[in-house]
């Protein structure tokens, strides 16, 4: 039977099947190892990104809370103040906690606010824009605004730095 061509062909095919099974097992192990490695790399990359974002946020808060310039971040969609530093609270006459989620339009004359919004919509920033505002108690103030668009907490916002020039008039 050893000389039978069918027997030799069957033996060859069995060996080929055994080799294919071994190669399949090796490939499955390789794929599993690559998946585990890529999962590790993805997790490592996400951790690095999250760390960088946290550090960036810390720097932003440190800078904005340290400088004596009123700064607000206002959501474009509804004009709500989503961030304000202590200096902004002082200018608007409201605590920082009470400023959040108030409309920035509560503190500006409507006509001036519409012109400002039209300018922002057209060019995405404003520099040296003089505006008459009003504090929470109704007392007017004059400020020069510097506004830039930015993404804050995954939302389209306006970053505004104000220079209070009421005393200089």
């Amino acid at each position: 039977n050893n000389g039978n061509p069918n027997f030799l062909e069957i033996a060859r095919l069995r060996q080929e099947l055994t080799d294919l099974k071994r190669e399949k097992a090796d490939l499955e192990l390789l794929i599993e190892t690559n998946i585990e490695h890529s999962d590790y790399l993805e997790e490592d990359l996400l951790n690095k990104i999250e760390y960088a974002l946290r550090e960036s946020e810390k720097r932003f808060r440190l800078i904005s809370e340290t400088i004596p310039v009123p700064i607000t971040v206002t959501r474009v969609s509804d004009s709500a103040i989503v961030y304000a530093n202590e200096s902004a609270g002082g200018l608007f006459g409201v605590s920082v906690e009470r400023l959040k989620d108030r409309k920035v339009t509560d503190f500006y004359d409507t006509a001036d606010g519409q012109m400002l919004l039209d300018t922002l919509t057209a060019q995405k920033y404003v520099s040296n824009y003089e505006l008459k505002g009003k504090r929470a108690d109704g007392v007017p103030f004059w400020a020069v605004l510097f506004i830039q668009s930015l993404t804050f907490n995954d939302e389209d916002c306006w970053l505004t730095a104000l220079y209070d020039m009421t005393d200089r008039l």
Side-chain angles (χ1 to χ4, degrees):
N1 274 341
N2 286 352
N4 183 339
N6 288 336
F7 180 78
L8 291 175
E9 182 65 17
I10 290 172
R12 187 186 67 74
L13 288 173
R14 281 187 178 153
Q15 184 60 45
E16 195 173 311
L17 181 60
T18 301
D19 292 346
L20 285 172
K21 286 180 180 177
R22 190 175 329 112
E23 287 177 19
K24 179 184 176 226
D26 290 348
L27 282 172
E28 287 172 344
L29 181 62
L30 183 62
I31 288 170
E32 185 178 325
T33 302
N34 280 335
I35 289 171
E36 288 172 4
H37 184 67
S38 68
D39 286 348
Y40 167 77
L41 290 177
E42 182 179 356
E43 185 177 334
D44 186 51
L45 182 60
L46 287 174
N47 287 339
K48 287 179 181 175
I49 290 169
E50 288 172 4
Y51 176 77
L53 285 172
R54 282 192 306 274
E55 289 300 307
S56 178
E57 184 176 314
K58 278 186 206 173
R59 283 191 297 276
F60 169 76
R61 290 195 188 280
L62 178 65
I63 291 168
S64 68
E65 293 299 329
T66 303
I67 61 173
V69 175
I71 294 175
T72 62
V73 177
T74 307
R75 199 168 31 235
V76 171
S77 63
D78 62 0
S79 299
I81 298 170
V82 294
Y83 172 82
N85 66 1
E86 291 293 330
S87 296
L91 177 63
F92 294 125
V94 177
S95 70
V96 172
E97 294 77 30
R98 292 190 56 218
L99 261 181
K100 290 180 185 162
D101 292 325
R102 283 198 60 180
K103 306 286 186 196
V104 73
T105 51
D106 293 347
F107 301 102
Y108 301 131
D109 179 57
T110 307
D112 283 341
Q114 188 57 52
M115 285 192 332
L116 177 60
L117 186 59
D118 292 344
T119 304
L120 282 170
T121 303
Q123 59 190 45
K124 302 292 183 214
Y125 73 94
V126 166
S127 188
N128 288 319
Y129 190 94
E130 290 186 22
L131 182 74
K132 182 180 180 184
K134 61 182 178 202
R135 300 182 202 287
D137 61 7
V139 174
F141 68 87
W142 281 93
V144 176
L145 281 63
F146 300 85
I147 306 174
Q148 182 69 47
S149 65
L150 89 148
T151 302
F152 188 83
N153 294 334
D154 295 326
E155 296 181 296
D156 291 334
C157 292
W158 300 115
L159 171 66
T160 304
L162 301 100
Y163 177 71
D164 183 5
M165 55 182 221
T166 304
D167 296 340
R168 291 149 193 82
L169 295 177

